[in-house]
Amino acid sequence: MAADKGETTMFFAWGHQGQRRVFANAGAFQCSHCEKEQPSTVVLDYTVRHLWFLFRWTTDKVWRSVCETCGNIHRLQNPKTFEAGLSKPPIPFIDRRGWLVGLGGAGALVVLLGISAAVDDKNNLTYLHAPHVDDVYTMDFGRDSRNTECPDCQYGAAVVSAVNAEGVYIHPSKKIYNRSSDVPWGASPADYVAGETYFISNAQLLDMHQKGKLMDVRR
Ligand SMILES: [Zn+2]
């Protein structure tokens, strides 16, 4: 799979993979933008982590509902109720309980699960394939000669404010920097221009990453 990037050492291999399930016709919900009940689509994002492709478990489950009328994205208010109403579990058995299969075979390795989850925590491509709200990108914004304080500065951060099936909406950071490594890691909402929103399509995200214009994803 394209989103998958395993890492290999002498003794074991691990990796992780962003997954998305989409439930169309998910029923009516109260849309805060339309200010009334609207039909919705529910989207479940989760990460499958695996070790040797034998132990598999899931993390980072995020449920969202999308208003089919205005496209507004909300965090799903009652995921447990929604999940209970489905005819089968939302995440395939092998992704949910795969580690049980692994335990039967080689129980001693269970200690490695925690280690691998921590080590492979950062995987930009996986994050770009399944963006989340509040992901922060380090990006090349290009130089702006009107910036008299620092005409050579071109690197900034962008925070993802919304996600839909086509791509992401971002707010750019207020500050730009000389080098991409100067862009700070810890950022707060006040660091971004909330009034400026840009859309980046899924294809553009990957293209910018490949061309070195989007260097880093933090989650
Ligand atoms: Zn709406």
Side-chain angles (χ1 to χ4, degrees):
M1 299 233 173
D4 184 67
K5 186 180 158 215
E7 290 173 38
T8 309
T9 71
M10 198 181 346
F11 297 110
F12 49 88
W14 60 66
H16 63 195
Q17 199 175 340
Q19 298 281 11
R20 171 169 288 180
R21 296 282 319 272
V22 176
F23 305 89
N25 306 318
F29 82 121
Q30 182 69 27
C31 173
S32 63
H33 183 253
C34 299
E35 296 184 331
K36 62 176 181 175
E37 293 233 317
Q38 294 286 22
S40 70
T41 293
V42 166
V43 177
L44 168 63
D45 287 312
Y46 62 96
T47 303
V48 177
R49 298 182 185 277
H50 60 80
L51 176 65
W52 273 338
F53 295 91
L54 185 60
F55 298 93
R56 295 163 73 89
W57 68 105
T58 59
T59 60
D60 311 326
K61 270 170 81 175
V62 180
W63 288 91
R64 293 194 183 83
S65 61
V66 182
C67 175
E68 287 179 5
T69 306
C70 74
N72 210 28
I73 299 167
H74 307 66
R75 193 162 278 259
L76 187 64
Q77 290 303 317
N78 44 5
K80 288 217 163 67
T81 312
F82 181 79
E83 207 168 329
L86 297 172
S87 55
K88 57 181 184 180
I91 298 176
F93 179 81
I94 186 66
D95 288 347
R96 277 182 301 133
R97 296 279 186 249
W99 58 274
L100 288 177
V101 180
L103 281 183
L109 285 172
V110 73
V111 291
L112 294 175
L113 297 181
I115 299 169
S116 67
V119 170
D120 70 359
D121 197 33
K122 194 158 155 290
N123 184 329
N124 290 337
L125 263 184
T126 301
Y127 293 162
L128 291 174
H129 275 96
H132 285 188
V133 169
D134 292 337
D135 281 356
V136 175
Y137 301 151
T138 299
M139 299 176 77
D140 181 353
F141 288 157
R143 291 178 191 183
D144 184 351
S145 57
R146 291 166 303 176
N147 182 354
T148 48
E149 269 178 41
C150 183
D152 292 333
C153 287
Q154 59 181 319
Y155 299 102
V159 64
V160 175
S161 59
V163 176
N164 66 23
E166 273 76 51
V168 300
Y169 292 88
I170 60 157
H171 298 315
S173 60
K174 289 175 180 167
K175 281 191 183 163
I176 55 173
Y177 300 85
N178 230 328
R179 292 174 305 190
S180 62
S181 56
D182 292 340
V183 178
W185 276 68
S188 76
D191 296 330
Y192 300 97
V193 190
E196 262 183 61
T197 306
Y198 300 96
F199 178 75
I200 307 178
S201 73
N202 291 323
Q204 283 170 325
L205 276 181
L206 298 176
D207 188 55
M208 291 172 84
H209 180 63
Q210 201 192 1
K211 290 181 174 151
K213 300 279 183 192
L214 195 171
M215 307 78 179
D216 202 12
V217 185
R218 284 157 274 160
R219 179 174 295 176

